[in-house]
Amino acid sequence: ARTVRISGRVIGEAGEPIVGVQVSAISLVGGRDELVVIPGPLPLAAEAAELPVGKLVRPGGVRSCPTDKTGGFTIAGLAPGRARIVILHPRKLPFRREPLLLVPGDIRDLGDLTMLAGAALAGQAVDEESHPVEGALIEARLAGKSNHPAIRMTTDRKGDFFVQLPLGDYVLSGQTDKLASQGPLPIHVAADIAAQDCVIRLTPRSSPRR
């Protein structure tokens, strides 16, 4: 089948170009992201981008390209089908676009792709006796914006949770079948927050959960 070429530009919230960030197009199999293990030493990204399709992985599996000084990128040699665009940046939230449906010979301009500034929020859910609570559902909502969907995560065996959020003010809550936080916990996300600075205390529910 004829291969596909996509292009676009990566920018920040203020419209500034983001230079030198890696943009990857990942082919999807059965609607799911494909994980690829590549044995042996890897070439430099610039060299890999010039390799023939299928040289590293199955045709069109994963192709990447760094952005230039204008934030622009072009990825060629993609196999037709469904593909997801993924961009990672150390000081931005991961960018994962909804899957694209690429037809044979497609030349697609994705336009401007905006990466948002964000920070990591680590925390812990504990009970009345400060024991960690496993499997608690934690919700983070933008303060004063109840119509925005909540960001949800679940605590691990140590009661810990981790999430990356856009910068701003949030209220956190947590619950299990038997426990719940007594009120929202306000938190200001301006930089990374360590787990010891974000503890959600869960107490027994006052009435059976409906």
Side-chain angles (χ1 to χ4, degrees):
R2 289 174 295 156
T3 58
V4 176
R5 185 176 74 213
I6 61 174
S7 61
R9 192 169 72 107
V10 181
I11 60 174
E13 293 172 279
E16 75 282 7
I18 298 180
V19 181
V21 68
Q22 200 77 0
V23 181
S24 297
I26 304 174
S27 291
L28 304 182
V29 178
R32 299 177 180 272
D33 293 89
E34 180 184 14
L35 300 181
V36 178
V37 177
I38 305 174
L42 296 177
L44 298 175
E47 297 175 0
E50 298 300 324
L51 290 175
V53 177
K55 181 67 175 180
L56 291 179
V57 294
R58 74 171 183 81
V62 180
R63 303 285 287 183
S64 300
C65 173
T67 56
D68 60 23
K69 62 182 180 181
T70 68
F73 67 91
T74 298
I75 303 177
L78 291 172
R82 290 169 60 83
R84 186 188 298 280
I85 304 301
V86 176
I87 312 172
L88 301 179
H89 187 285
R91 295 181 301 279
K92 301 286 187 181
L93 295 178
F95 181 97
R96 286 167 59 87
R97 186 173 179 137
E98 288 300 312
L100 303 170
L101 179 59
L102 304 174
V103 300
D106 203 355
I107 299 177
R108 186 80 61 90
D109 183 358
L110 304 180
D112 290 342
L113 307 181
T114 304
M115 299 196 76
L116 304 178
L121 169 66
Q124 187 183 42
V126 300
D127 61 17
E128 289 181 300
E129 299 178 350
S130 296
H131 296 148
V133 178
E134 178 184 359
L137 176 64
I138 307 298
E139 292 189 347
R141 290 184 181 274
L142 279 169
K145 297 184 179 181
S146 58
N147 58 328
H148 282 227
I151 298 173
R152 297 181 174 88
M153 65 227 82
T154 304
T155 58
D156 62 16
R157 294 194 311 174
K158 297 181 179 180
D160 295 331
F161 61 89
F162 176 86
V163 66
Q164 289 182 293
L165 298 170
L167 305 182
D169 292 308
Y170 292 83
V171 289
L172 305 182
S173 61
Q175 62 178 323
T176 68
D177 288 338
K178 299 179 180 179
L179 305 173
S181 51
Q182 292 302 302
L185 173 67
I187 192 111
H188 178 62
V189 179
D192 292 348
I193 298 176
Q196 62 265 27
D197 297 326
C198 182
V199 177
I200 298 179
R201 192 168 299 276
L202 306 181
T203 58
R205 291 176 177 273
S206 58
S207 59
R209 185 179 181 184
R210 296 181 179 180

